[in-house]
Amino acid sequence: MYKPFVILGAGIAGLSAAYFLWQQGHEVVVLEKQSYYGGLARSFRWNDFWCDFSAHRFFTNNADVLAYVQTLVPMQAHQRRSRIFLNHRWMRDPIDIIELLTHLPPGDSLRIIVDFLVRDRTLDDASFEHYVIKRYGRALYEIFFRHYTERLFSLPGCQIAVDWARWKVRLASPLDRLRPATKTKFRRFYYPSRGGYGAIVDRLYQHVRDHVLLEANVTALEWDSHGRITGVHFNRHGTRHFVRADWIISTLPVTLNARLLNQKIDVTYQKVDAVYLLLNKPRMSENHWLYFMDRESSINRIVEFKNMSSFDTPPDRTVVCAEVTRDVSNPIEAVVQDLTRSNLIHSDDVLNSHVVREPFAYPRYTIGYIKQIQLFNQLVEAHPNFQVLGRAAQFSHYELDDIIEKSHDMVNEITKMQPFEVKIVKPELDRPCVWIVVLTYNNYKDTEECLRSLCKLRYPRKKVVLIDNGSSDGTPNLVRERFPDVVVIENGRNLGVPAGYNVGFRYALHEGADYIFMINNDTVVDHEMLDHLVTAAQEPDVGILMPVVYYYDDKQEVWSAGARYRPFPPAIVMEKRVYHDRYHELQYAISCGLLITRKAFEMAGLFDENFLFLWDDLDFSQRVRDAGLRILQVPRAQMWHKVSRTTNPYSVLFWQTHGESGVIFYRRHGRPFVSMALIHLGYFALREFIIKWRLKFLIPFLKGVQSGLSRDLVDIPRIKDNISYP
């Protein structure tokens, strides 16, 4: 047998890839060891309820992926309802610090505060435990974060990789929003109207079922002297088979893939026992999910399917599913005890029970796992037509929307074809027109690297204009020679950052830009950045969209994810937190890279040319918000910043401009000006020049303050003053 494409595994990753290949007309076969399809995303009928394996929800910031899934199955939109069980009490999810402290014994509350204040900030981020203690203190770690996470992985916190803390504690854990400044809002999610979560994979399977072989156990791969896979051996119904192939897409766990490639990779997976209870009551609670954070519980979280969708459910009974990763002799008994202890049920409410175990449910992020995954990736790269896809195969905590998107991109990449006609991809003419405005002042090497990264952007309908603010190193001519598609405009002299950008904004808006992406020349961007920003721009009332900006020299460390005003000590501080599970509304956006809507320019005007540099982006953000538009952090949009290649933070000009720009900002927005400016700028001067001992820059700073107070301010330019519209 010969098939150009062979897919190993019929979970959501395998079925998505098969579906996209089938849509393009390619011959494909899917080999699945089990007698069922769907993997972790499957559902089954039990006691007149559709039951999922454990707890699922569909959430995505990618409007195209959402639209695509909604074409497969009808989806209901929900506002998330969930609670946390801790210290024998039920509390809101996410919990806020005030509620937390008032619900704990006074001794624990005091210990949390004291430990937070005296926490060891010198700890290395060597593990989950160190990461949390360094940021929140040992008491908070012991009381809140430790037990849930150690139970989830069956590992002590000192053996759990710091990656999990970065992903979950700071970003997506039920208790990650402990500070009032970062309290979450309601989060929307989607769930199929009928058929459970597995309705999604059911629909995919209906399209490709003739290409799926269930109970097909893959036993070996064959490859040639160049490492290229030539075929797959598998057993089915007691008979050995071999299929020749051009491409293999494997969704099997890393360990199984390595074994097929005659290697051993030392990573492990966490099993999950999904415990189902049929209860003799209309509902157990009104929540979608309940989280158990205390030491005694065996349950990690529990879902009530009737709250996800009440279609085709009995009115007098309900079914819940508890996720148990702890090794217990009788998981059903342990779950009933937890629910009884938390006053959710009485033991005699249980009419029936059922347990489903998945041995490869979660990757276990032990310390050192990254080196093993790097070895595995090198192994895969040695076989050029062998691709891995999905949570288990890529050892990453992907959700369904991530997997669908990655399946789509992988199919397009390996087939070397144009995107096919599904809702994930919009025709180019239907995409908004984005003009990218790059501002330069010398430093051509940085500019060249920036432009080359912009050339790799996948977004189809984009154009680039470079605004040169009087470079003396030949930047304009070099760009014209090496980047003939880039429009170059020379200002002839340094107009300052806002005025320089405004030249590009006016040009782009006159050329019909729907959106403008402004970018510093000392940055590089991810090739999918613009797609994610434009998708997020479809949200209502959006004016500015900010990617997450990482350090160029440390590509995993966040330089800025936005900014916010801190009342005390007064300052505008950088946001470092990335909200991976949603778009996050910002107070201020930092202008080294921003997507700005045409509507924002029309309502708020251009950049204020009274600024030379510094504070101009804060001023523009404030005016955009005053116009009733929102500023969003888009977590999947990423770029990297070399930081201060043009502006020297150790120069007299920098500190003089800082003082002048700060005063101009408060003259524009201070209410009342005097008190806000004096408190904020006074604290700033104390911190920067006295505490940090930069006394030599105090005089330039004060001169800047004087200049900002005395100079006349020109009006903010409006686009219709300079642009004619067709």
Side-chain angles (χ1 to χ4, degrees):
M1 180 168 56
Y2 164 73
K3 295 288 182 181
F5 295 92
V6 175
I7 297 174
L8 311 184
I12 185 64
L15 291 176
S16 295
Y19 175 73
F20 294 140
L21 287 165
W22 169 78
Q23 276 207 326
Q24 289 191 0
H26 294 290
E27 282 291 318
V28 60
V29 64
V30 182
L31 306 179
E32 169 57 55
K33 178 181 179 180
Q34 304 296 340
S35 59
Y36 54 85
Y37 59 87
L40 300 181
R42 70 188 184 275
S43 297
F44 57 93
R45 194 76 171 165
W46 185 67
N47 285 286
D48 297 325
F49 285 86
W50 280 107
C51 300
D52 306 333
F53 174 77
S54 193
H56 293 286
R57 88 289 181 276
F58 183 80
F59 177 82
T60 179
N61 289 322
N62 188 322
D64 292 330
V65 173
L66 174 60
Y68 166 67
V69 173
Q70 287 177 320
T71 65
L72 291 175
V73 295
M75 304 280 280
Q76 290 179 292
H78 294 269
Q79 289 183 315
R80 176 173 179 165
R81 301 188 305 273
S82 56
R83 305 279 283 181
I84 292 170
F85 185 69
L86 183 68
N87 196 38
H88 305 287
R89 295 172 181 258
W90 286 103
M91 289 178 274
R92 287 177 295 179
D93 172 32
I95 198 169
D96 65 72
I97 191 65
I98 301 300
E99 182 183 18
L100 186 64
L101 295 177
T102 56
H103 280 71
L104 288 174
D108 286 345
S109 299
L110 179 61
R111 189 158 60 95
I112 287 174
I113 296 171
V114 172
D115 277 11
F116 176 76
L117 294 175
V118 301
R119 68 192 187 279
D120 186 355
R121 296 174 174 84
T122 65
L123 279 176
D124 294 332
D125 286 342
S127 65
F128 173 86
E129 179 179 310
H130 277 198
Y131 182 97
V132 177
I133 292 173
K134 178 179 179 179
R135 287 157 180 81
Y136 300 111
R138 180 168 289 279
L140 199 58
Y141 169 73
E142 294 287 347
I143 295 172
F144 302 105
F145 295 108
R146 176 181 177 180
H147 305 301
Y148 182 91
T149 305
E150 291 189 345
R151 186 166 66 237
L152 181 65
F153 289 113
S154 300
L155 288 170
C158 61
Q159 294 180 21
I160 299 172
V162 70
D163 303 60
W164 185 254
R166 289 173 176 152
W167 296 333
K168 294 294 181 180
V169 168
R170 189 164 58 93
L171 304 173
S173 165
L175 288 176
D176 64 341
R177 302 174 181 91
L178 291 171
R179 295 173 294 178
T182 55
K183 259 187 350 184
T184 188
K185 301 176 181 177
F186 272 124
R187 287 176 292 168
R188 292 178 301 157
F189 71 94
Y190 294 86
Y191 190 86
S193 301
R194 290 181 171 85
Y197 199 71
I200 300 171
V201 292
D202 284 343
R203 184 62 175 166
L204 290 171
Y205 179 74
Q206 288 172 16
H207 287 290
V208 299
R209 63 184 305 162
D210 292 340
H211 307 275
V212 179
L213 299 181
L214 300 177
E215 300 181 42
N217 183 25
V218 175
T219 57
L221 302 176
E222 285 191 5
W223 55 86
D224 60 23
S225 59
H226 302 289
R228 191 170 185 86
I229 307 295
T230 56
V232 179
H233 293 272
F234 65 97
N235 293 334
R236 187 168 190 252
H237 301 158
T239 304
R240 295 180 180 180
H241 301 271
F242 177 76
V243 54
R244 292 188 298 109
D246 297 325
W247 285 93
I248 308 296
I249 299 176
S250 178
T251 68
L252 304 181
V254 166
T255 49
L256 300 184
N257 282 323
R259 189 184 308 162
L260 290 172
L261 297 172
N262 293 336
Q263 295 291 332
K264 181 180 179 181
I265 297 297
D266 189 16
V267 295
T268 56
Y269 293 81
Q270 177 70 338
K271 67 86 182 172
V272 167
D273 288 325
V275 178
Y276 301 85
L277 301 180
L278 174 66
L279 302 178
N280 188 24
K281 55 196 311 182
R283 270 187 168 85
M284 186 182 73
S285 81
E286 296 297 321
N287 296 283
H288 300 109
W289 297 279
L290 299 172
Y291 293 88
F292 291 74
M293 310 300 293
D294 56 328
R295 181 198 300 267
E296 295 83 8
S297 295
S298 296
I299 299 173
N300 296 337
R301 59 178 176 172
I302 195 165
V303 60
E304 187 164 0
F305 299 118
K306 184 178 281 189
N307 295 335
M308 296 295 194
S309 176
S310 59
F311 286 107
D312 301 325
T313 59
D316 56 342
R317 288 170 289 157
T318 190
V319 166
V320 297
C321 176
E323 178 185 283
V324 178
T325 52
R326 174 179 284 174
D327 284 324
V328 292
S329 58
N330 189 333
I332 295 173
E333 180 181 334
V335 168
V336 173
Q337 288 178 352
D338 285 348
L339 296 182
T340 303
R341 182 170 53 89
S342 57
N343 296 319
L344 287 168
I345 67 169
H346 299 291
S347 58
D348 55 5
D349 290 331
V350 180
L351 299 175
N352 199 355
S353 59
H354 179 58
V355 179
V356 176
R357 171 170 286 194
E358 277 288 345
F360 296 99
Y362 292 123
R364 295 175 85 219
Y365 298 107
T366 57
I367 289 178
Y369 86 93
I370 289 179
K371 290 184 179 179
Q372 292 295 311
I373 296 304
Q374 289 173 343
L375 290 174
F376 174 69
N377 290 337
Q378 292 173 5
L379 177 64
V380 170
E381 289 171 3
H383 302 277
N385 65 332
F386 185 81
Q387 302 287 315
V388 294
L389 177 68
R391 176 187 287 192
Q394 295 179 280
F395 211 75
S396 197
H397 201 77
Y398 290 134
E399 301 293 348
L400 182 141
D401 60 292
D402 302 311
I403 293 170
I404 289 176
E405 189 172 4
K406 290 180 181 298
S407 300
H408 169 266
D409 292 344
M410 176 179 288
V411 166
N412 280 338
E413 180 66 25
I414 65 178
T415 57
K416 307 296 183 184
M417 296 179 66
Q418 293 298 315
F420 41 88
E421 291 295 326
V422 295
K423 292 219 177 237
I424 286 183
V425 180
K426 296 180 180 178
E428 179 173 337
L429 293 178
D430 290 341
R431 308 300 292 271
C433 175
V434 179
W435 272 86
I436 301 170
V437 178
V438 185
L439 183 67
T440 61
Y441 177 68
N442 294 321
N443 297 322
Y444 172 73
K445 287 185 178 179
D446 289 339
T447 301
E448 181 178 24
E449 187 175 8
C450 175
L451 291 174
R452 293 199 183 283
S453 75
L454 294 176
C455 291
K456 295 178 182 178
L457 285 168
R458 290 184 175 178
Y459 188 85
R461 202 172 172 212
K462 64 183 182 296
K463 297 180 181 179
V464 181
V465 56
L466 181 136
I467 310 300
D468 186 80
N469 243 355
S471 294
S472 57
D473 64 350
T475 289
N477 289 334
L478 288 169
V479 171
R480 290 188 182 98
E481 175 184 341
R482 299 177 185 179
F483 299 90
D485 293 331
V486 173
V487 177
V488 178
I489 299 176
E490 295 185 63
N491 290 333
R493 62 186 179 89
N494 193 344
L495 303 180
V497 172
Y501 270 118
N502 281 347
V503 172
F505 296 158
R506 292 186 180 101
Y507 178 88
L509 291 166
H510 180 70
E511 292 297 310
D514 297 307
Y515 302 102
I516 291 176
F517 184 76
M518 63 179 297
I519 183 171
N520 287 4
N521 70 321
D522 59 346
T523 60
V524 294
V525 301
D526 180 73
H527 62 282
E528 294 182 338
M529 178 200 68
L530 208 51
D531 296 83
H532 293 306
L533 291 173
V534 173
T535 296
Q538 311 312 307
E539 292 280 309
D541 300 320
V542 174
I544 304 174
L545 302 107
M546 182 175 175
V548 178
V549 185
Y550 297 84
Y551 283 96
Y552 180 86
D553 294 325
D554 186 351
K555 291 184 168 49
Q556 300 301 315
E557 184 178 354
V558 174
W559 176 70
S560 177
R564 59 183 173 83
Y565 179 76
R566 183 182 66 197
F568 188 83
I572 293 175
V573 297
M574 289 279 204
E575 289 263 23
K576 299 290 188 179
R577 182 177 176 185
V578 183
Y579 292 76
H580 284 293
D581 60 338
R582 60 189 172 96
Y583 301 140
H584 170 59
E585 191 160 341
L586 298 168
Q587 283 186 296
Y588 300 103
I590 306 302
S591 62
C592 69
L594 299 176
L595 187 73
I596 305 171
T597 66
R598 189 181 191 99
K599 186 176 183 180
F601 286 119
E602 291 175 344
M603 297 179 68
L606 302 179
F607 271 45
D608 188 344
E609 296 180 3
N610 291 289
F611 297 94
L612 180 64
F613 58 88
L614 299 175
W615 294 76
D616 51 311
D617 44 7
L618 306 180
D619 167 83
F620 184 71
S621 294
Q622 185 69 50
R623 286 189 281 118
V624 167
R625 287 193 294 113
D626 289 345
L629 301 178
R630 297 188 297 153
I631 304 170
L632 294 185
Q633 175 200 107
V634 183
R636 291 187 183 177
Q638 298 179 345
M639 60 183 293
W640 293 267
H641 187 22
K642 298 175 183 176
V643 184
S644 299
R645 290 294 182 98
T646 303
T647 56
N648 181 2
Y650 300 100
S651 68
V652 169
L653 176 63
F654 178 88
W655 291 105
Q656 183 170 330
T657 303
H658 222 312
E660 183 179 66
S661 296
V663 170
I664 293 172
F665 177 85
Y666 277 107
R667 286 179 65 183
R668 292 291 199 195
H669 305 290
R671 303 181 186 91
F673 162 74
V674 175
S675 60
M676 291 187 68
L678 287 179
I679 293 173
H680 187 165
L681 297 178
Y683 168 75
F684 180 86
L686 174 67
R687 184 189 69 193
E688 296 298 324
F689 306 117
I690 305 301
I691 297 176
K692 294 186 179 180
W693 202 248
R694 293 170 171 164
L695 281 174
K696 67 178 181 178
F697 295 121
L698 178 59
I699 299 301
F701 179 79
L702 294 176
K703 286 182 178 179
V705 170
Q706 182 182 16
S707 173
L709 288 169
S710 60
R711 62 178 289 187
D712 294 329
L713 302 183
V714 300
D715 292 337
I716 294 167
R718 302 285 171 176
I719 61 175
K720 291 187 178 179
D721 298 339
N722 300 283
I723 301 174
S724 60
Y725 293 89

